Amino acid sequence: MNRTAFVTGANKGIGFEIARQLGEAGWKVLLGARSIERGEAAASELQKQGLNVEFVQIDMTNKESIEQAAGSIQANYADLKLLINNAGMPGAFSSSFSATQEADLRNAFEVNFFGTFRLNQQLFPLIQKNEGTIVNVSTDMASLHFMQSSAYALNAFDYNASKTSNNAMTVAMAIECKDSNAQVFAVTPGFTKTDLNGNAEGGKSKEDGAAIIVGYATDGKRHNGEFLDVNGVYAW
C-alpha cells in the first residue's frame, strides 16, 4: 500500500527532520519548500540516504504557487495520505502587544494562517477521500491557557496570534471530519532550537521536536480535533 506525505517548510529544521523520519518509516515524502535551490538540495540529500523523497516547490505567501503545488499533488499523487503543515514564520517575534507592528502581524498571518488555510482548502478533499491525516504544527504559545498561566510565556503577539488562529482552523476542520475516518489535529513540539528562534539555547533538538510530530502523525490512533504536546492532550 502506497503512503504519500506532503511536508511544507521541509528544506531545513524541524520540517527536514520530519521528512527524513517519515522517509525512514517507509513513506514517500513530498518535500515542500519555497526556494527551488534549497528544496532540491534537501531532497537530494535525503535521496542519497536511500529515501523516497521528491521536491515540490511551494511559496506559502503566494496564492498561485499554493494552487499550482496542490494541483500537481492532486494530479500526480492521488494517494496522498498525510499533510503536515510545518511551514511558518515568526513575524518580528514582537516582545508585547504594544510593541507589535501591523506589518509584522500581517506577515506572520500570511504564512502561519492564510497560506496554511489556502493549502488546507485545496488538499482537504483529497485527504478526506483517502481517510488521511492533516497535522497543523502549532506552538505552546498558541494556547491561550498557556499564555495566561505560564510564568515564562513570551508575549510575541504577532507570532502567537497567527498560531492561535491556526488552532481555530484545526478545530473547524476537525468538526468536518467527526463522522469520517479522516482527521485533523494540531501538535506542538515544544521549545525547539530552530532558525525561527535563532537556535535559542535550552530547546530540544530538531530531531526530537520532529519525532513528536511524526509520532502522533503515524501512531494509527484517532486524534481528530486534539491539540497535542509530548505528554498528550494540551490545553487550547
Side-chain angles (χ1 to χ4, degrees):
M1 178 180 176
N2 291 327
R3 297 186 303 169
T4 299
F6 181 34
V7 184
T8 64
N11 64 289
K12 63 179 182 178
I14 290 179
F16 180 80
E17 282 301 316
I18 291 171
R20 184 182 62 79
Q21 291 177 24
L22 286 172
E24 290 179 344
W27 286 75
K28 178 180 183 63
V29 180
L30 308 178
L31 186 153
R34 177 174 60 182
S35 166
I36 294 175
E37 180 181 2
R38 293 175 183 175
E40 288 180 341
S44 176
E45 182 177 344
L46 294 177
Q47 289 163 0
K48 289 176 182 176
Q49 297 176 26
L51 306 182
N52 189 358
V53 176
E54 294 185 22
F55 168 60
V56 174
Q57 196 276 333
I58 183 167
D59 181 347
M60 297 298 290
T61 68
N62 186 293
K63 184 174 182 289
E64 289 72 26
S65 174
I66 292 169
E67 290 175 347
Q68 184 175 2
S72 175
I73 290 170
Q74 290 162 343
N76 299 303
Y77 307 99
D79 62 342
L80 183 73
K81 193 78 171 179
L82 174 62
L83 167 61
I84 298 185
N85 287 302
N86 168 74
M89 65 94 68
F93 217 67
S94 58
S95 60
S96 68
F97 169 80
S98 297
T100 302
Q101 300 295 313
E102 181 175 336
D104 296 324
L105 188 66
R106 289 183 179 276
N107 286 338
F109 265 81
E110 189 60 36
V111 173
N112 299 340
F113 180 75
F114 286 108
T116 305
F117 164 77
R118 292 168 184 138
L119 183 60
N120 276 335
Q121 276 215 324
Q122 291 285 322
L123 294 180
F124 194 29
L126 182 58
I127 291 290
Q128 288 177 301
K129 177 183 176 182
N130 292 339
E131 299 183 339
T133 295
I134 294 177
V135 178
N136 292 323
V137 176
S138 190
T139 172
D140 297 9
M141 296 181 297
S143 166
L144 300 181
H145 172 79
F146 175 81
M147 289 301 297
Q148 287 187 308
S149 62
S150 174
Y152 57 89
L154 298 176
N155 195 20
F157 180 66
D158 44 6
Y159 177 68
N160 297 0
S162 67
K163 285 295 194 175
T164 302
S165 296
N166 191 299
N167 277 3
M169 175 167 54
T170 299
V171 173
M173 296 173 72
I175 290 171
E176 292 190 33
C177 292
K178 65 181 181 179
D179 296 322
S180 75
N181 290 324
Q183 61 176 343
V184 182
F185 57 91
V187 179
T188 170
F191 179 29
T192 305
K193 296 172 64 173
T194 68
D195 288 351
L196 186 143
N197 57 31
N199 290 293
E201 290 300 321
K204 63 176 64 67
S205 69
K206 300 173 182 67
E207 293 84 355
D208 289 343
I212 296 169
I213 297 164
V214 172
Y216 283 121
T218 62
D219 66 8
K221 297 179 181 179
R222 182 74 172 169
H223 297 297
N224 189 52
E226 295 180 344
F227 184 16
L228 301 159
D229 74 351
V230 65
N231 297 312
V233 175
Y234 196 71
W236 291 108

